[in-house]
Amino acid sequence: MGVSSLGYVGLSVSDPAAWEAFACQRLGLMSAGTQDGVTRLRLDSRAWRIALHQGSEDDLAYAGFEVDSIEALCELEQGLAAAGFPVKRGDDELLAARQVQQMIITEDPGGIPIELYCGLMDRGNVPFASPAGTSAFVTGEQGLGHFVVSAPDRERFYAFYCDVLGMKLSDKIQMGPLALEFFHCNPRHHTVAMAPVPFPKRIHHLMFEVQNIDDVGFALDRCEQAGDTISTTLGKHSNDQMVSFYVKSPAGFDVEYGYGAIAVDDATWRIGHYDKMSIWGHKGL
Ligand SMILES: [Fe+2]
């Protein structure tokens, strides 16, 4: 059964107000307000998708993967323990903070705290409205987006993300000795990707996908206008065919902002193999 999508991420940031302004004013996310010192951001009808915690790491603090049922969550709990990964239940305080019904906590092979949960609060009574005019993000069964992690121990990565969490390889991009691998758990081409090289942060980037190419262009204009560092120019990826740009977030790691990725259908999907990241653009990647 495994996990069904990337549901939320928590970021430890030294300047939450700057990250919130970046996310809301430039990328078009919606603030859900600040409670107990934590600022939460929305991308859709869910109560939140991004939590900004005051901290010195300027990095990913935790990632939450959604699980469809309590039965599936129990299976994952057993699978993690059997494979030698740490596992404990989230207490009532944590369930309330995350606005979920049930949760187990583990750690991926790179040391990233991972929360597997059921039932993230929906706030359909307060519709998503982007303060920047972004039309809509691609979420739903595809979750909030994707992130890319460093995985020096490839076998252990596979043991965690594929054997236990149930993700499947979508394709691989081989550039000389360096192979990047991309994994899906729903129609989103990849929810997690990994590179066998160290990164300065836990994630290389976090990706949001919008439903309209103009949303990408408008966001790029707003980032440039605000003086953000555009890490890569607009470009189109070889494997998922997403048209995107990368911008440096106030925490130092990049955000990829794109449109038009192809969807994976497991019934017909064939694992791809590519020799470049992008078919055009993405200068600087
Ligand atoms: Fe990406």
Side-chain angles (χ1 to χ4, degrees):
M1 283 202 270
V3 300
S4 55
S5 67
L6 175 62
Y8 59 71
V9 295
L11 306 176
S12 169
V13 293
S14 53
D15 190 347
W19 222 96
E20 181 183 16
F22 166 73
C24 296
Q25 292 166 20
R26 274 95 88 193
L27 306 185
L29 277 66
M30 177 185 180
S31 178
T34 303
Q35 241 188 340
D36 302 326
V38 181
T39 300
R40 291 189 171 77
L41 306 174
R42 292 176 59 183
L43 278 85
D44 56 12
S45 69
R46 297 303 182 91
W48 66 283
R49 292 289 198 174
I50 311 283
L52 304 174
H53 300 258
Q54 175 82 54
S56 57
E57 288 85 359
D58 276 319
D59 204 346
L60 179 72
Y62 53 85
F65 289 102
E66 190 154 296
V67 177
D68 285 340
S69 67
I70 300 292
E71 293 73 28
L73 199 60
C74 290
E75 268 186 27
L76 284 163
E77 187 175 30
Q78 291 161 11
L80 286 165
F85 292 103
V87 57
K88 62 177 185 182
R89 298 258 171 133
D91 60 21
D92 288 345
E93 197 180 333
L94 193 59
L95 295 184
R98 301 289 195 262
Q99 303 179 54
V100 300
Q101 287 183 36
Q102 198 59 261
M103 185 203 290
I104 57 174
I105 306 163
T106 182
E107 204 173 85
D108 90 346
I112 298 174
I114 300 288
E115 301 175 356
L116 308 178
Y117 72 86
C118 289
L120 175 60
M121 184 78 78
D122 200 272
R123 293 196 65 199
N125 59 323
V126 186
F128 173 79
S130 168
T134 301
S135 62
F137 288 90
V138 176
T139 59
E141 67 173 346
Q142 297 197 18
L144 81 86
H146 71 230
F147 60 75
V148 179
V149 297
S150 161
D153 188 340
R154 185 170 169 273
E155 267 183 42
R156 206 66 186 139
F157 178 96
Y158 263 85
F160 184 81
Y161 283 100
C162 298
D163 298 345
V164 181
L165 299 199
M167 294 197 188
K168 293 185 180 126
L169 179 68
S170 304
D171 45 40
K172 199 180 272 197
I173 299 179
Q174 184 89 39
M175 292 174 297
L178 181 69
L180 301 165
E181 295 179 86
F182 300 78
F183 301 87
H184 65 274
C185 56
N186 60 49
R188 185 179 294 288
H189 175 277
H190 56 285
T191 287
V192 176
M194 65 102 138
V197 288
F199 297 146
K201 306 275 179 182
R202 280 174 163 167
I203 51 173
H204 175 268
H205 68 269
L206 177 64
M207 190 284 301
F208 303 123
E209 183 175 4
V210 284
Q211 291 187 14
N212 190 314
I213 187 66
D214 289 337
D215 289 327
V216 177
F218 286 132
L220 179 56
D221 278 354
R222 289 191 299 267
C223 289
E224 286 178 338
Q225 179 72 34
D228 294 328
T229 301
I230 307 301
S231 318
T232 81
T233 59
L234 197 67
K236 184 171 185 174
H237 280 305
S238 57
N239 57 347
D240 67 359
Q241 298 177 33
M242 174 173 278
V243 174
S244 62
F245 69 93
Y246 291 64
V247 56
K248 190 174 179 176
S249 80
F253 60 82
D254 280 357
V255 166
E256 179 184 11
Y257 198 87
Y259 163 77
I262 55 169
V264 170
D265 176 355
D266 272 322
T268 53
W269 186 256
R270 293 174 65 187
I271 293 172
H273 201 183
Y274 301 87
D275 64 356
K276 53 176 79 68
M277 289 297 294
S278 307
I279 60 171
W280 55 264
H282 282 153
K283 291 182 189 72
L285 193 60

PDB file of all heavy atoms in Angstrom, residues 71 183 245:
ATOM      1  N   GLU A  71      -5.182   1.260   8.433  1.00  0.00           N
ATOM      2  CA  GLU A  71      -4.613  -0.063   8.161  1.00  0.00           C
ATOM      3  C   GLU A  71      -3.269   0.071   7.453  1.00  0.00           C
ATOM      4  O   GLU A  71      -2.292  -0.601   7.794  1.00  0.00           O
ATOM      5  CB  GLU A  71      -5.559  -0.897   7.281  1.00  0.00           C
ATOM      6  CG  GLU A  71      -6.867  -1.307   7.935  1.00  0.00           C
ATOM      7  CD  GLU A  71      -7.856  -0.147   8.081  1.00  0.00           C
ATOM      8  OE1 GLU A  71      -7.815   0.805   7.273  1.00  0.00           O
ATOM      9  OE2 GLU A  71      -8.656  -0.187   9.035  1.00  0.00           O
ATOM     10  N   PHE A 183      11.431   9.078  -8.246  1.00  0.00           N
ATOM     11  CA  PHE A 183      10.500   8.080  -7.707  1.00  0.00           C
ATOM     12  C   PHE A 183       9.089   8.647  -7.547  1.00  0.00           C
ATOM     13  O   PHE A 183       8.925   9.801  -7.121  1.00  0.00           O
ATOM     14  CB  PHE A 183      11.007   7.597  -6.348  1.00  0.00           C
ATOM     15  CG  PHE A 183      12.376   6.991  -6.427  1.00  0.00           C
ATOM     16  CD1 PHE A 183      13.503   7.797  -6.326  1.00  0.00           C
ATOM     17  CD2 PHE A 183      12.546   5.638  -6.652  1.00  0.00           C
ATOM     18  CE1 PHE A 183      14.786   7.252  -6.435  1.00  0.00           C
ATOM     19  CE2 PHE A 183      13.819   5.088  -6.759  1.00  0.00           C
ATOM     20  CZ  PHE A 183      14.942   5.891  -6.652  1.00  0.00           C
ATOM     21  N   PHE A 245      11.389  27.240 -13.593  1.00  0.00           N
ATOM     22  CA  PHE A 245      12.610  27.957 -13.227  1.00  0.00           C
ATOM     23  C   PHE A 245      12.895  27.635 -11.764  1.00  0.00           C
ATOM     24  O   PHE A 245      12.037  27.100 -11.059  1.00  0.00           O
ATOM     25  CB  PHE A 245      12.477  29.471 -13.458  1.00  0.00           C
ATOM     26  CG  PHE A 245      11.520  30.171 -12.520  1.00  0.00           C
ATOM     27  CD1 PHE A 245      11.976  30.746 -11.341  1.00  0.00           C
ATOM     28  CD2 PHE A 245      10.153  30.253 -12.820  1.00  0.00           C
ATOM     29  CE1 PHE A 245      11.090  31.389 -10.470  1.00  0.00           C
ATOM     30  CE2 PHE A 245       9.270  30.893 -11.949  1.00  0.00           C
ATOM     31  CZ  PHE A 245       9.746  31.456 -10.775  1.00  0.00           C
TER      32      PHE A 245
END
